[in-house]
Amino acid sequence: MSTGTPAQPSASQAADPWSVAGINLTSRFLLGTAGYPSPQVLRQAIAASGTQIVTVGLRRVLAAGGDNGFVAIVREALSERGARLLPNTAGCRSAREAIELARMARELYDTPWLKLEVIGDEHSLQPDPVELVEAARQLVREGFVVWPYCTDDLVTCRRLLDAGCAVLMPWGAPIGSGQGLLNPFALRTLRERLPTATLIVDAGLGAPSHAAQAMELGFDAVLLNSAVAQARDPVGMAHGFRLAVEAGRAGWRSGVMARQDFAVPSTPVSGQPVLLGGPP
Amino acid sequence: MNAETGVLIQLDGAPHLLAPGTSLAALLDQLGHAPASVGTAVNGSFVARALRQDRVLQAGDDVLLFQPIVGG
């Protein structure tokens, strides 16, 4: 679902587009919509982020009331900005659950895009790799554009790509933990071993520097929610992350210098004493 | 209608008595849910909107309704 006037990208964003399933995108910042203090703050954060994709979910209609207008705000904001919804299967514990919820999400949100989550551990909310791959295979067969939330395990990522997933979304750290990139080596390995895959760090980011770090590793985008929603100033934080994503991307594209074990002087002095005569 | 003449289902985890022959579509109508506002599953399987009219609920059916929410 995408209508309305698209958000205006910066010059660097416009010059560096990416695409998923034939849809061209300029923002590399995907934003979650949960946990904001009010619908109005959520709307402002979406605008400040410049995002073109926001995640949403489904839940059982229990006796409790509605969502206090949050979903309506999301739909309005996206309609104004020409952005898209990415429904998730949060809470699912098996491939079967995720598949059924995905079918429901496609009908309710009118999109084949799906953030596939199948959780294997209640404490860490770590994805279940076996159920995840099984669900991905079936959903791709049914025409979904699958964005799997996964760990940073290379073999599992390969299985997901073989299953037909459009992108890979490995975690940086457990959902909502704000710890940043706990295993940059594994993320770097994914980038190097899967050079043509679209890679998005999803989960665990807490500060804009984390997002910049992910982009400097060569990841194509980041997805985060709590880092913005739980900030003291979510709108300011959304703007901060927007800048960090652009900065990190610029760093990657520009080629970060190689690390050195020892000092390498940047000022080209000759090596001779400057003020006192004689050899060293 | 009572437990002997009605059809007892589980609706979102609670017992719910229906008139015999009530379809899933009719149940939503009784509850005041617009068809496009909720997703439906019966006995753990998704039931598409277009098929709700033909899905007559039976005793013991476990009906779950889902709504859009914000998410990460």
Side-chain angles (χ1 to χ4, degrees), chain B residues 3-70:
Chain B
E4 290 182 350
T5 59
V7 175
L8 187 64
I9 66 167
Q10 290 290 313
L11 173 62
D12 288 321
H16 191 86
L17 198 61
L18 298 174
T22 300
S23 69
L24 183 56
L27 172 60
L28 294 186
D29 190 55
Q30 290 170 14
L31 295 172
H33 292 307
S37 69
V38 293
T40 51
V42 178
N43 301 331
S45 295
F46 165 65
V47 178
R49 193 180 302 146
L51 300 179
R52 292 173 187 166
Q53 189 62 42
D54 295 330
R55 184 61 180 262
V56 175
L57 297 170
Q58 308 296 322
D61 277 347
D62 186 3
V63 177
L64 296 178
L65 307 181
F66 289 79
Q67 65 183 108
I69 57 165
V70 290

Side-chain angles (χ1 to χ4, degrees), chain A residues 206-223:
Chain A
S209 55
H210 301 156
Q213 184 185 10
M215 298 306 291
E216 287 169 11
L217 288 175
F219 274 65
D220 297 282
V222 298
L223 193 164

Side-chain angles (χ1 to χ4, degrees), chain A residues 151-162:
Chain A
T151 65
D152 49 25
D153 178 74
L154 174 61
V155 175
T156 303
C157 286
R158 281 201 172 122
R159 295 281 184 270
L160 290 167
L161 291 176
D162 291 344

Side-chain angles (χ1 to χ4, degrees), chain A residues 32-34 55-62 65-66 70-71 74-75 88 96 100-101 103-104 107-109 115 117 225, chain B residues 12-13 33 35-50 52 64-72:
Chain A
T33 57
T55 51
V56 287
L58 290 177
R59 77 168 177 201
R60 286 170 54 177
V61 176
L62 301 176
F70 276 88
V71 173
V74 170
R75 291 187 185 275
N88 68 34
R96 179 167 184 250
E100 299 298 334
L101 203 69
R103 292 165 176 163
M104 201 175 304
E107 180 181 85
L108 269 174
Y109 287 111
K115 176 181 169 180
E117 296 184 43
N225 188 152
Chain B
D12 288 321
H33 292 307
S37 69
V38 293
T40 51
V42 178
N43 301 331
S45 295
F46 165 65
V47 178
R49 193 180 302 146
R52 292 173 187 166
L64 296 178
L65 307 181
F66 289 79
Q67 65 183 108
I69 57 165
V70 290

